[in-house]
Amino acid sequence: MRGLVISNLLSRWRSVAALAFGCFLLLVVLAGTYSAYGGAAGFAKSFGAKPPQLLSAFSGSSSADIFSPVNFLAFGFNHPMFLVLALSVAVTTGVAAVASEVETGRAELLFTAPVPRSLVLTARVVEWVVAETFVVGWAVVGAAVGSRLSGDLSQVSALVPLRIGLQFSSLAFFTAAIAFAASSRAPSRGVAFAATVGVTAGSYVVNLVALLWSPIAFVRWLNPFGYYAPTDAAAAVNWPDMAVLYGGGIVLFALAYHWLSSRDLA
């Protein structure tokens, strides 16, 4: 299994490195924009003392004051560009785990006795864990470096990006579980990709609308993004929300293994 993990990582190290650098640069730049805009006073002058609900919703909370230094730094971990870069690791790895191999015909060579199918899938999961940890780790470093370079954010504790990165790991885990489950069931890479992106992007939009429109506020608890609020994690890790996402992800991973063991890969 170790050889398969290493070979898979070596085959895609350039893309993983690019995603890691992208997350690092994005968090550094976002931190720099805070001082460039004039800090909390500059934002308050442009938008008023209370941040618009739409801006707060983009941070994952309808009531967060994203003009404060801590919450502005946390907002970077829910920025749409960050989510695209960081979650693409989970999506691409999961989708390629089974569906891509079936589509190319390699499945009959990889998922055959005496090598258990579950072992090959586990190697893909380990590959994702290593790649995702690397990308998110560089995002945390980017936030830490950016805050140190910004006079207005320099007082933010270095533990804040670490706590948010830990909180984000549960969302990444759930997203990866969706991708692996879809890949184990879908007949082609396109179908698995469409299902994963559809569920993930749809959940993000639904959660955003739920934060803005009170009559459907309950819907946020029916999708994974409702259990990820970086501004809350900036103060303390929300362990119950992490447990929900990890628990749901474990169920989806279990389905992925079950579907792979019972499907015809020919």
Side-chain angles (χ1 to χ4, degrees):
M1 184 178 74
R2 181 185 299 177
L4 185 58
V5 171
I6 293 175
S7 64
N8 288 337
L9 286 172
L10 289 176
S11 68
R12 57 178 307 200
W13 74 267
R14 291 180 179 83
S15 62
V16 172
L19 291 171
F21 179 73
C23 287
F24 171 83
L25 189 61
L26 175 65
L27 270 297
V28 170
V29 171
L30 284 176
T33 61
Y34 190 76
S35 294
Y37 207 87
F43 280 105
K45 183 178 180 180
S46 298
F47 298 99
K50 184 179 180 181
Q53 190 177 12
L54 177 61
L55 294 180
S56 296
F58 272 112
S59 73
S61 173
S62 59
S63 58
D65 178 9
I66 65 168
F67 295 162
S68 70
V70 172
N71 286 342
F72 187 86
L73 189 65
F75 161 68
F77 286 86
N78 206 49
H79 191 284
M81 183 60 70
F82 170 77
L83 294 176
V84 169
L85 291 173
L87 292 182
S88 66
V89 183
V91 174
T92 56
T93 306
V95 167
V98 179
S100 293
E101 308 295 4
V102 172
E103 190 173 24
T104 60
R106 294 181 65 217
E108 294 183 63
L109 300 176
L110 289 173
F111 299 95
T112 56
V115 180
R117 293 182 177 185
S118 60
L119 187 64
V120 179
L121 185 58
T122 299
R124 289 289 194 179
V125 174
V126 173
E127 172 199 345
W128 164 72
V129 171
V130 174
E132 190 73 61
T133 302
F134 182 77
V135 171
V136 176
W138 275 103
V140 170
V141 172
V145 170
S147 64
R148 299 288 81 83
L149 295 176
S150 170
D152 295 290
L153 299 178
S154 59
Q155 300 303 315
V156 177
S157 171
L159 293 177
V160 169
L162 286 173
R163 284 195 289 263
I164 301 173
L166 180 61
Q167 193 79 44
F168 177 77
S169 70
S170 60
L171 179 63
F173 183 83
F174 191 87
T175 304
I178 295 174
F180 277 93
S183 185
S184 297
R185 188 74 170 178
S188 67
R189 175 174 48 189
V191 173
F193 185 80
T196 304
V197 173
V199 171
T200 304
S203 296
Y204 177 81
V205 173
V206 167
N207 184 66
L208 185 63
V209 174
L211 288 171
L212 296 171
W213 193 25
S214 57
I216 62 168
F218 70 93
V219 176
R220 67 170 303 194
W221 305 117
L222 303 179
N223 74 86
F225 286 92
Y227 296 90
Y228 173 64
T231 51
D232 294 340
V237 175
N238 191 323
W239 298 107
D241 282 359
M242 285 187 67
V244 170
L245 290 179
Y246 273 112
I250 289 173
V251 172
L252 289 172
F253 270 116
L255 284 175
Y257 278 91
H258 172 69
W259 285 335
L260 176 62
S261 66
S262 59
R263 73 176 290 181
D264 181 7
L265 297 174

